[in-house]
Amino acid sequence: MSRPLADAVARERIRSDFDTTFVVEAPAGTAKTTALVDRVVASVAAGRSTLDRTVVVTFTDAAAGELKLRLRAAIERGWADPRRTDDARARLRAA
């Protein structure tokens, strides 16, 4: 059985605390892009934001390209997920 990550609480807060603006800094390979994608998808699904009103800043073109690809894939998985509410799925489909 795997142990929870030491920063699991912080990762969950990044994903779900929509009333706070975050700056996420960490070394390469620490799942920053995953955390950002999860946050954007959760925000759109919850109706707290839309893609055209969301800003995510990266520092390289490569990181921006990777973020775009992962975000599109996560949105598609989200609207196809039958566990989500109809409203959440509709918001993600519209994204």
Side-chain angles (χ1 to χ4, degrees):
M1 185 163 126
S2 64
R3 294 177 25 210
L5 296 172
D7 62 351
V9 172
R11 289 172 188 257
E12 177 57 26
R13 188 164 176 232
I14 290 168
R15 190 189 71 73
S16 61
D17 183 353
F18 304 129
D19 294 323
T20 302
T21 300
F22 292 97
V23 174
V24 179
E25 293 181 289
T30 56
K32 292 178 302 294
T33 301
T34 299
L36 292 171
V37 167
D38 289 350
R39 179 177 176 85
V40 172
V41 171
S43 176
V44 171
R48 293 294 301 264
S49 187
T50 58
L51 285 183
D52 62 337
R53 298 190 50 83
T54 301
V55 175
V56 178
V57 178
T58 64
F59 293 99
T60 67
D61 288 339
E66 179 69 18
L67 181 67
K68 180 180 175 181
L69 292 173
R70 288 194 200 181
L71 183 57
R72 177 51 47 203
I75 288 170
E76 290 176 4
R77 281 191 309 274
W79 63 252
D81 185 349
R83 295 171 295 176
R84 291 190 183 267
T85 67
D86 290 342
D87 286 343
R89 293 175 69 197
R91 289 184 200 106
L92 291 170
R93 186 176 294 267

